[in-house]
Amino acid sequence: MNSLSALFTAYPEAFPWMVGLLGLVIGSFLNVVVHRLPIILEKDWQSQCHALLNPDQPPKASERFNLVIPRSRCPHCGHAITALENIPVLSFLWLQGKCAACRQPISWRYPFVELLTGVLSLLVAWRFGFGMTALAGLLLTWSLIALTFIDVDRQLLPDNLTLPLLWGGLLFNLSAVYVPLSSAVIGTVAGYVSLWLVYQLFKLTTGKEGMGYGDFKLFAALGAWLGWQSLPLIILLASLVGAVAGISFIMFFGHDRRMPIPFGPFLCAAGWIALMWGEPLTRLYLQFARVAV
């Protein structure tokens, strides 16, 4: 650690670029998390249901399936992806976006997530510099990326990610990495309760569920990381972006207005913006508010 600190002190510009390269690798792993974690949870739920409904019947043996096993395969032909075919971004370009075996197209989502993770990781490292604040910011960033794409695909914010994220924010803020612990605890409670109340009011007036409990837990987790003071900015940004995106989907992409649009990705984006530029944005908002009054 001391040698790394000395290296990055002597060459501070090297740290963001090294973290950016690491982010590309992490992005490749996040692709696996986004695809496999919902399947793992579904298999666990099926196993629990089977055990409850058929206590005397042993479950059927199945192939081990987790975030590591089995190796990644082409969804079209089952070709096992080799190490050379799994280099972030470069392999996609080298293979021209097609499977090496069957030449069926590979989804653009894989290199996009890798590039997104690399760029956002670089920005976090550039913003905070070498130290605990950057490490915490990277863990938060990577978690938000995984949650975003899982929610887009499955309309699901798994407890396996939101709850560790919540506890992680509180643990980091024991040392006031971002905010004092008291602010983090209040932010956790306020984040959960505020969206829970919105949910209950919406359900009471319309008879429909406007969001899921995962949104409450994610907002609580953001409060644990960034404190209660950041919650108004986060919900304002998420609501504005969500409204613009929803209208755009309906007007330009023919999205059925009766089909729900997940709110988690907008919370994740707003939370990351608050992590990076929360204080200046809050000051700017308060200045405009005073002018308007």
Side-chain angles (χ1 to χ4, degrees):
M1 180 64 72
N2 290 334
S3 59
L4 282 176
S5 180
L7 173 64
F8 294 134
T9 300
Y11 304 99
E13 68 281 357
F15 178 60
W17 291 105
M18 290 186 65
V19 170
L21 292 174
L22 173 64
L24 294 175
V25 178
I26 296 296
S28 181
F29 176 69
L30 292 182
N31 277 318
V32 176
V33 174
V34 169
H35 174 68
R36 295 193 182 192
L37 182 58
I39 299 175
I40 293 170
L41 294 176
E42 186 176 342
K43 288 178 177 290
D44 286 343
W45 296 332
Q46 290 174 347
S47 176
Q48 293 169 15
C49 290
H50 178 86
L52 180 64
L53 298 174
N54 304 281
D56 299 325
Q57 182 180 349
K60 296 180 180 179
S62 60
E63 179 185 26
R64 287 182 61 192
F65 190 88
N66 53 45
L67 296 180
V68 179
I69 299 172
R71 286 172 52 186
S72 297
R73 296 188 176 100
C74 171
H76 302 288
C77 67
H79 167 68
I81 308 301
T82 66
L84 288 177
E85 296 166 2
N86 207 27
I87 301 172
V89 181
L90 294 179
S91 291
F92 183 84
L93 297 175
W94 173 55
L95 294 169
Q96 299 178 331
K98 297 178 181 178
C99 171
C102 67
R103 306 306 295 168
Q104 290 293 316
I106 301 170
S107 173
W108 60 268
R109 256 272 297 272
Y110 296 110
F112 176 76
V113 171
E114 292 164 354
L115 278 173
L116 178 67
T117 308
V119 170
L120 297 190
S121 299
L122 185 151
L123 291 174
V124 169
W126 168 79
R127 168 71 174 80
F128 295 111
F130 180 73
M132 184 60 69
T133 308
L135 173 62
L138 290 170
L139 293 175
L140 175 58
T141 299
W142 299 337
S143 299
L144 293 178
I145 291 172
L147 285 166
T148 293
F149 287 98
I150 290 175
D151 203 20
V152 167
D153 288 347
R154 302 292 191 112
Q155 288 74 57
L156 173 70
L157 293 169
D159 287 352
N160 305 56
L161 293 179
T162 55
L163 296 184
L165 189 65
L166 187 156
W167 293 115
L170 293 177
L171 287 173
F172 274 112
N173 283 323
L174 280 173
S175 304
V177 171
Y178 293 113
V179 294
L181 181 61
S182 58
S183 176
V185 172
I186 295 172
T188 302
V189 176
Y192 188 93
V193 171
S194 59
L195 285 193
W196 180 84
L197 287 173
V198 171
Y199 167 88
Q200 295 296 341
L201 288 172
F202 185 84
K203 187 176 181 180
L204 183 64
T205 55
T206 67
K208 301 177 182 179
E209 296 183 354
M211 62 182 70
Y213 277 67
D215 296 311
F216 315 160
K217 297 168 190 174
L218 174 57
F219 200 36
L222 292 173
W225 281 83
L226 305 174
W228 65 267
Q229 299 90 338
S230 295
L231 295 181
L233 174 65
I234 293 172
I235 200 64
L236 177 63
L237 288 173
S239 300
L240 286 175
V241 176
V244 171
I247 294 171
S248 300
F249 288 154
I250 292 171
M251 292 182 61
F252 302 112
F253 300 101
H255 185 85
D256 188 344
R257 66 183 62 195
R258 293 170 298 181
M259 293 294 293
I261 296 175
F263 190 52
F266 306 120
L267 278 177
C268 290
W272 189 82
I273 292 171
L275 166 71
M276 297 290 287
W277 303 289
E279 290 186 12
L281 286 174
T282 300
R283 287 197 299 269
L284 183 64
Y285 168 76
L286 291 176
Q287 289 175 1
F288 276 114
R290 281 196 291 267
V291 170
V293 173

